[in-house]
């Protein structure tokens, strides 16, 4: 059974930082795209960042220069370092994995989400 478990969310002031982690189990994801998405209240789930097995990275324009995605294939874990956080970054953050997809929400595997709240 595949499981993806996010951690590291919380409450932070604007300008602060958080590091999200997503530990995957049940299969090896070294050849998969690993992505982060977020969903704010009343809004659709949106792409945040993704990373390929070859370490190529992809970012939404809204987070470029502030967020960094990375992965440790030995631990089956993907990270999202979030700096210079803004109140508009407040959302539930989800990690996801898929063999082919980068930007869309058509990922095969999803975590349960972790809340990130940025106060002004």
């Amino acid at each position: 059974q595949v499981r993806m478990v996010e951690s590291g969310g919380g409450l932070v002031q604007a300008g602060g930082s958080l590091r999200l982690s997503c530990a995957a189990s049940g299969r090896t994801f070294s050849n998969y795209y690993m992505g982060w998405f977020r969903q704010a209240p009343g809004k659709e789930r949106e792409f945040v960042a993704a990373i390929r097995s070859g370490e190529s990275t992809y970012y939404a324009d809204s987070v470029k220069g502030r967020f960094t995605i990375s992965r440790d294939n030995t631990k089956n874990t993907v990270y999202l370092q979030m700096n210079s956080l803004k109140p508009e970054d407040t959302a539930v953050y989800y990690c996801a994995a898929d063999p082919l997809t980068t930007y869309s929400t058509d990922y095969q595997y999803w975590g349960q989400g972790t809340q990130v709240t940025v106060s002004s």
Side-chain angles (χ1 to χ4, degrees):
Q1 182 181 359
V2 173
R3 289 191 67 207
M4 302 185 70
V5 181
E6 302 97 336
S7 61
L11 174 64
V12 64
Q13 289 187 333
S17 298
L18 283 174
R19 188 193 194 206
L20 305 183
S21 300
C22 174
S25 62
R27 67 162 298 132
T28 300
F29 289 97
S30 58
N31 294 323
Y32 275 52
Y33 284 88
M34 302 292 287
W36 286 96
F37 291 77
R38 66 187 182 187
Q39 188 166 17
K43 295 187 177 181
E44 294 187 353
R45 192 170 297 188
E46 64 176 5
F47 171 79
V48 175
I51 184 168
R52 278 195 61 181
S53 59
E55 305 300 330
S56 297
T57 56
Y58 310 84
Y59 295 96
D61 288 342
S62 59
V63 306
K64 279 181 183 177
R66 300 188 298 122
F67 291 11
T68 302
I69 188 170
S70 61
R71 67 191 294 167
D72 184 341
N73 288 333
T74 66
K75 297 180 179 180
N76 242 12
T77 299
V78 61
Y79 306 96
L80 186 68
Q81 177 66 44
M82 305 186 294
N83 299 329
S84 302
L85 282 161
K86 305 175 181 179
E88 50 264 43
D89 294 318
T90 295
V92 177
Y93 283 71
Y94 300 87
C95 68
D98 192 86
L100 298 174
T101 304
T102 307
Y103 297 102
S104 80
T105 56
D106 295 333
Y107 274 61
Q108 184 175 7
Y109 301 110
W110 290 88
Q112 83 289 347
T114 186
Q115 177 70 46
V116 171
T117 303
V118 185
S119 63
S120 57

